[in-house]
């Protein structure tokens, strides 16, 4: 299978996963939040922050989707690399708040790392080939 097709399938999978997860946080944060890895439900009116997290995820997915659909593959690679920081941030947040280490590393850390790998593969796929060396001009004898 060509690298471009593999990269496209991986990017589309990330888009669908992030879009699904974000939508779940918007529509039913009380059932989705426990899977995030934090040990406690937010107190007071903190549940609103879960909806904000969902909106963030939907926006991240839409950015990737637009770049994929419009064929801006190099920009897609860069966006995947940058958006991986959100997943690494989620991992760090779960760990810093004494949440599930398995969830932090197994979901957030793995997702972020796979996004980096996919981004780097797309960057490799879209790099410009090195220019061929110029042929030496014959010298008169």
């Amino acid at each position: 299978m060509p690298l471009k097709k593999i990269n496209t399938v991986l990017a589309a999978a990330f888009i669908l996963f992030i879009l699904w997860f974000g939508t779940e946080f918007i529509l039913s944060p009380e059932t989705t939040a426990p899977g995030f890895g934090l040990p406690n439900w937010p107190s007071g009116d903190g549940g609103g922050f879960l909806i904000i997290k969902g909106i963030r995820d939907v926006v991240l997915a839409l950015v990737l989707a637009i770049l994929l659909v419009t064929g801006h593959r190099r920009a897609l690679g860069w966006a995947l690399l940058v958006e991986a920081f959100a997943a690494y941030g989620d991992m760090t947040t779960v760990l810093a708040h004494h949440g599930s280490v398995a969830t932090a590393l197994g979901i957030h850390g793995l997702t972020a790392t796979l996004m980096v790998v996919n981004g780097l593969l797309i960057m490799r796929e879209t790099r410009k080939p090195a220019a061929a060396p110029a042929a030496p001009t014959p010298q008169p004898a």
Side-chain angles (χ1 to χ4, degrees):
M1 184 179 292
L3 181 61
K4 184 174 182 177
K5 190 170 204 163
I6 293 169
N7 289 337
T8 300
V9 169
L10 286 173
F14 281 121
I15 291 165
L16 293 173
F17 173 72
I18 297 167
L19 189 60
W20 168 76
F21 204 65
T23 302
E24 287 292 309
F25 262 97
I26 293 169
L27 298 177
S28 59
E30 63 283 342
T31 57
T32 308
F36 186 75
L38 292 174
N40 300 317
W41 180 259
S43 60
D45 196 25
F49 286 100
L50 298 173
I51 295 171
I52 292 171
K53 185 237 182 294
I55 293 169
R56 177 201 75 175
D57 286 351
V58 168
V59 170
L60 292 174
L62 291 176
V63 167
L64 295 175
I66 288 168
L67 293 173
L68 180 64
V69 169
T70 59
H72 295 282
R73 296 190 66 82
R74 190 146 186 92
L76 174 62
W78 280 112
L80 279 162
L81 291 173
V82 171
E83 289 188 14
F85 283 108
Y88 281 128
D90 290 347
M91 177 189 75
T92 304
T93 300
V94 171
L95 292 173
H97 290 88
H98 311 291
S100 167
V101 173
T103 301
L105 300 177
I107 294 176
H108 304 296
L110 182 62
T111 298
T113 302
L114 290 174
M115 287 176 78
V116 167
V117 168
N118 191 204
L120 290 173
L121 286 172
I122 290 173
M123 298 296 285
R124 181 172 185 247
E125 163 205 323
T126 60
R127 73 178 175 209
K128 293 182 176 36
T137 49
Q139 298 296 323

